[in-house]
Structure formats: C-alpha cells, structure tokens
Amino acid sequence: MTKFKKIEDSRVVISELMLPSHSNFNGKIHGGYILSLLDQIAFACASKHSGTYCVTASVDTVDFLKPIEIGELVTMKASVNYTGNSSMVIGIRVEAENIQTGQKKHCNSSYFTMVAKDKEGKSMQIPGLILETEDDIRRFAKSIKRNKMKFKNKKEFNDTDFASEEYLHILEEHKVKIERTD
C-alpha cells in the first residue's frame, strides 16, 4: 500500500442539473437530496484515497447557506482534508450556477468523516496525506481542531446532568410552556 498520497489524487468533482423532481414544496431543491449527493461524493473521494470500501462515520457540519433553485447547475468538490489511521475527513464545497447568467453562489460546505473497511468489515489502515500548499496545511489543521472540539463537546454534553430543576431558568428564556403532568 502507498504510505502517502497527494490530495489531488483523490479529489472528486461532480456536477448535476437540478430538476423539478429534486424540489421541495417551496420550489427550492430539497435539502435531503443535496445530503444524498454529499454522501455519495464523500464515499467516492474516501474510497479513491483509501482504495477500498468506506462508510460514513459522522457528518460534522452541514450548513445550508443559500437555497438552490430548479434549473441551476450544482457542482460539488470533495477532497481529503485529514487522515487518521483508518478515518478521513472529507471536505465538500457546494456551488450552484445559474446556467443562463453564469452567476455562481456558494451554497454549502460540509465535512464528512469516513472510515475505510476491509472485506470483513473491519477498519483498515489508509495512506497518509502529502500536504503541498498552505490551503492543504490549513485544512488539515482545522480538521484536527474540529475533531478536538467535537470530542470535548461530546464529553461535556455526556457529563452534564440535565435535571429539570437546574435548567428551569434557561428554559424560561425560550419559547416554551411547562405543564407538568407528573
């Protein structure tokens, strides 16, 4: 197995014209359809890097920044931002282009953690990354920070006691009405 691979060797770009069948009741492209495309390109990018089957371990961020319209050309660009022993963070940028005017808009940036699996379904070692540019280094470093923050937030959340008496003052600041039945 190759010990290290260049980021460009695993980069994947897909484009698809958004059709009426992809829209929601408001006439915009359904977020679920975009999520499905994101998962597909993350799988392709991770499998290309690892040379094996990969599964989605987590979706760290999906921020829908701007709506996508019917008739726009959506382009998704995926690359490996980070590698661990068997896991990879795949960064994906989503742009929509009005094909009549040529105007482009950034609609989404997402981060998928993918894990390489062998034929028995066990996690397997993957190649590391060769970082060639400042952007490569920045993306790798941001992935390390994002992973640390995710671990810290998960630990803090799991260690917190959410007894209602301790949180009543917080609940009062929100649009909620408490009617106890117990």
Side-chain angles (χ1 to χ4, degrees), residues 1-13:
M1 176 193 322
T2 306
K3 297 272 189 217
F4 294 91
K5 284 178 123 176
K6 292 182 178 185
I7 291 171
E8 67 189 41
D9 294 339
S10 305
R11 192 166 281 136
V12 177
V13 178

Side-chain angles (χ1 to χ4, degrees), residues 114-134:
M114 308 295 288
V115 177
K117 298 289 186 176
D118 64 16
K119 291 181 179 163
E120 289 78 43
K122 294 181 181 158
S123 298
M124 61 179 283
Q125 185 92 21
I126 61 168
L129 281 179
I130 298 170
L131 305 177
E132 298 181 298
T133 69
E134 284 299 316

